[in-house]
Amino acid sequence: MSLVFILVAATISFAQNKSLKIGDPLPESFWTTHLQVVNHPQKTIHLSEDKNKLILIDFWTTWCSACLISLPKIEALQQKFGDKVKILPVSGQDKSALDKFFTSSNGKKFKNMVSTYEDKKLHDLFPHAGVPFIIWIKDGKLFNSTDAGQLTEQTINEVLNGDKSSLQTIIQMERARPLMLSEDYDRQRNVQLLNYSFFAKGQIPDIGAGGTYRKTALGKIHGRQFTNLSLWDIYYAIGFELFKQQEKASFTEKRMIIELKEPEQLMPIERTDGSNDGINLYNYEFIIPEQKSDSLYNYMLEDLNRYSGYTVTLEKRPVKCLVLIRTTTKDKLVTKGGEKRSTFPRTPSILRNVPLKNMVNMLNGEINIKELFIDETRYTGNVDLEVSGVTDIATLKKELQKYDLDLIPEERQVLMMIIKDQQN
């Protein structure tokens, strides 16, 4: 079941504790402030000469992949609409960061794109929690605020022609409060939130992809929030914590067994332009009382099992593994000390003054070998070790023999995360 929010009004806070509502005129400072720009013959520009245009403020950064995906579209739309529309990319980064981007192999194709840098005025006027974020200004008034996906030829024409707009207002949400918990709760006195669960399928454009923790005053984690992530990502995060608690072991994809008719439903679906269509994205928050915090992730898994359509369990299964063993009692691993270093799985792969488990963890997580690596050396001290590469098992086995180590293919009963279709 998908979740759709229709947002009909927005308030955007700005400097001096005032607020700018949709339909409000822009303050005079918006038009007269000199904005520092790159890729322009002048060092600064102002927007007063664009008052009669549809102005689109595109907040972006050079490290935001979604922003970079939008740049070709922005250039094409600006060229399409010419003097009717002013699209202004706005960045808070410094000039050197933008110069570096626009001269890079990825950015040089946008070398004629004018962008502000070190912007504070527009960021203060239109605060936001993430990028890309688009501000629409028409007839000198705030018309709307949206994500970049809604910036299209169709929506621009709707606004220019005065047609009914299909834009969905985006009011960027903060992670400081539980998802969708009404602000009316904040007015209540002598009320303590003991349990909270919110689970919805479908992208919520008002908040970015990621997550956060809910912590007590003493720093104990008693809640987690995940937004606009796939079930795979959510299960992985929960598995990581449960394995750490139960096995003191590293959790990787190799510890997951997928027994589903449609395993692709666990993963996000990408469009041809690299963006996400949002169909397989989920939003989930779960909070429990502080005194039950040690059981948080067990309760989360139980909660998801009720409503997700899947059953996820942790159980031991027979698994084909590569077992790391010592072939002699001679210690060829002991460290000489010095600065700690681990470069696995790069070539050469080096361990310096770190535990042997560092290598095993990286072999399970970072290389294209399907077998699960298990450490049965019982070696507890820090080691020094170097191999030329970890691209295949035969090469790795040969390299490890220098340290009286070997990899033996064996079957082991191993704790795994099992994801199955829910039985009706």
Side-chain angles (χ1 to χ4, degrees), residues 175 179 198-200 202 204 207-214 223-239 241 281-286 296-297 300 304:
R175 298 190 179 277
L179 284 171
F198 175 86
F199 186 44
I204 299 179
I207 196 167
T212 191
Y213 298 88
R214 301 296 177 206
R224 285 289 293 266
Q225 179 195 94
F226 300 101
T227 58
N228 296 322
L229 294 177
S230 67
L231 278 178
W232 174 277
D233 292 323
I234 296 172
Y235 287 141
Y236 190 96
I238 293 172
E241 298 295 341
L281 298 185
Y282 289 78
N283 297 271
Y284 181 52
E285 178 143 7
F286 191 73
L296 171 65
Y297 296 101
M300 289 181 75
L304 288 171

Side-chain angles (χ1 to χ4, degrees), residues 17 33 36 111 114 146 163-164 180 200 244 316 366:
N17 297 319
T33 295
Q36 301 178 103
K111 63 183 179 180
V114 176
T146 74
D163 298 336
K164 183 178 180 180
M180 304 301 167
K244 189 165 60 175
K316 287 200 172 183
E366 298 291 339

